[in-house]
Amino acid sequence: MDLPAPLAWLVDEAAATLGPELFLAELGGRLLADGVPLAGGALTLAVPHPVIARRTFLWRADTGAVIEALSFAGGPRQAGHDWLSGLGPVREDAIGPVPERLVLGWAGTRPFDRHETERLLQVARFAAAPLSALAERAALTALLEAYLGRRSAARVQAGALRRGTGETIRAALLYADLRNFTALSETSVPAAVIAALDAWFDRVAGAVHAFRGEVLKFIGDGVLAIFPVSGAPAEACDAALRAVMAARAGMAHLDQTREAEGLPPLPFGAAVHLGDILWGNIGAADRLDFTAIGPAVNLVSRLEGLCRPLGRSVLVSGALAAETAMPLLPLGEQVLRGIAAPCAVFTLPDA
């Protein structure tokens, strides 16, 4: 079959496009080259995500640039061609199918004539199959990232599914844990316990992500996060320390809010360490967990357990302290439960 170039691309190649923004830019560019008077286009995907409801990609025909806009769960839903308002003269005859899960729309530099409208409607029909495949991949990616984190999700999607497979990586590790949470959970209604946990996790996980770390696991009221070493170790170590300081500031503000509401504070302890971890698949034959294990994980967990006895909210291992120029206060060598060798321990001056 002799198809116009945009339709041939949709049939033969579009399903393999690596992302929504590349799909939109490539299709828009091909339509423009085929003589369609486009000002821009928009592609919106609904995604299964706890915060983000829809991802909208906006393409400008004059520059070829694509930007992304996010619609959040519970927010207002915009009309289809309103998304194109910054692209140029948007007409009522902008073309785009409007199913529940995705929207592909086009705006012209002038009103589309009957022939152009028919061409764009034909493009919409041919785009349905590759867009469906793209939407499924985007949905899977969103789900995996929500439950595994971005780096781990990428590894799983790349096919790292066999039990026992993984890689040894060097990373700064952060382990943080609420204190007295058992007592709080026994004296509070379940809804209040869940609200307290969510508020705590928002502060610590938000700080981790702000400094390009990744939360690997929520363990009860604890959080294990990593900052992989990709350059100088000091970069990952400084990021972990800054994340701890940001989490501490967030929790101080939260405690003020809770005090005003007559609720008890949420004290916590946190530890950071630098070491090698095995990052990969661990679990049963048919139920896996993509996580990190190794002596470094054990050490950072045990180090956090010293926060209460030492009267500090943040503890830093000697291994991490050796790689950072940030000011730290030495607390001497300490014996960690289950760890053979004593560990040099430091803290932040105001922790």
Side-chain angles (χ1 to χ4, degrees), residues 131-221:
L131 273 179
S132 178
L134 188 148
E136 290 297 328
R137 291 201 303 271
L140 177 60
T141 297
L143 282 171
L144 288 173
E145 289 183 357
Y147 282 92
L148 298 179
R150 180 165 295 181
R151 290 184 181 91
S152 298
R155 289 293 309 281
V156 171
Q157 281 191 289
L161 299 175
R162 189 161 54 87
R163 182 171 61 165
T165 58
E167 63 176 316
T168 298
I169 65 171
R170 193 158 184 79
L173 293 89
L174 185 157
Y175 183 76
D177 192 54
L178 284 179
R179 297 176 186 168
N180 306 320
F181 186 73
T182 300
L184 176 68
S185 62
E186 290 176 349
T187 57
S188 304
V189 297
V193 173
I194 292 172
L197 274 178
D198 286 346
W200 152 243
F201 288 143
D202 275 343
R203 270 70 179 177
V204 65
V208 167
H209 295 152
F211 290 96
R212 303 181 66 82
E214 179 158 325
V215 171
L216 284 186
K217 191 175 293 297
F218 297 111
I219 311 165
D221 59 325

Side-chain angles (χ1 to χ4, degrees), residues 14 17 36 40 88 99 118 120 126 132 203 222 225 231 260 268 277 323:
T17 307
V36 182
E118 290 175 353
L120 288 174
F126 274 74
S132 178
R203 270 70 179 177
F268 72 96
I277 59 173
E323 296 290 347

Side-chain angles (χ1 to χ4, degrees), residues 31-294:
L31 289 171
L32 203 61
D34 205 41
V36 182
L38 294 180
L43 173 61
T44 291
L45 304 176
V47 293
H49 191 276
V51 177
I52 301 167
R54 288 171 296 279
R55 300 173 67 195
T56 297
F57 300 90
L58 302 173
W59 169 72
R60 293 185 62 107
D62 55 352
T63 65
V66 178
I67 62 172
E68 181 180 3
L70 301 178
S71 299
F72 297 97
R77 183 163 187 169
Q78 297 168 289
H81 51 256
D82 290 344
W83 295 326
L84 305 175
S85 59
L87 295 173
V90 179
R91 311 293 183 181
E92 289 300 320
D93 57 354
I95 298 297
V98 190
E100 182 64 25
R101 292 188 58 197
L102 60 88
V103 176
L104 175 63
W106 305 104
T109 57
R110 56 169 174 74
F112 300 127
D113 61 29
R114 182 179 62 82
H115 177 63
E116 291 160 350
T117 298
E118 290 175 353
R119 289 169 68 188
L120 288 174
L121 289 172
Q122 187 179 39
V123 165
R125 289 193 293 270
F126 274 74
L131 273 179
S132 178
L134 188 148
E136 290 297 328
R137 291 201 303 271
L140 177 60
T141 297
L143 282 171
L144 288 173
E145 289 183 357
Y147 282 92
L148 298 179
R150 180 165 295 181
R151 290 184 181 91
S152 298
R155 289 293 309 281
V156 171
Q157 281 191 289
L161 299 175
R162 189 161 54 87
R163 182 171 61 165
T165 58
E167 63 176 316
T168 298
I169 65 171
R170 193 158 184 79
L173 293 89
L174 185 157
Y175 183 76
D177 192 54
L178 284 179
R179 297 176 186 168
N180 306 320
F181 186 73
T182 300
L184 176 68
S185 62
E186 290 176 349
T187 57
S188 304
V189 297
V193 173
I194 292 172
L197 274 178
D198 286 346
W200 152 243
F201 288 143
D202 275 343
R203 270 70 179 177
V204 65
V208 167
H209 295 152
F211 290 96
R212 303 181 66 82
E214 179 158 325
V215 171
L216 284 186
K217 191 175 293 297
F218 297 111
I219 311 165
D221 59 325
V223 181
L224 174 64
I226 61 171
F227 298 78
V229 173
S230 57
E235 295 176 1
C237 295
D238 290 351
L241 288 170
R242 290 190 174 98
V244 166
M245 290 187 286
R248 190 176 53 173
M251 289 303 292
H253 182 268
L254 176 63
D255 283 344
Q256 291 177 354
T257 302
R258 288 176 61 85
E259 183 181 9
E261 296 173 353
L263 298 172
L266 296 174
F268 72 96
V272 288
H273 174 53
L274 175 69
D276 295 332
I277 59 173
L278 177 62
W279 184 46
N281 286 304
I282 297 120
D286 59 351
R287 174 61 173 89
L288 298 174
D289 191 10
F290 201 92
T291 187
I293 61 170

Side-chain angles (χ1 to χ4, degrees), residues 4-15:
L7 300 186
W9 178 78
L10 286 170
V11 171
D12 296 332
E13 303 176 50

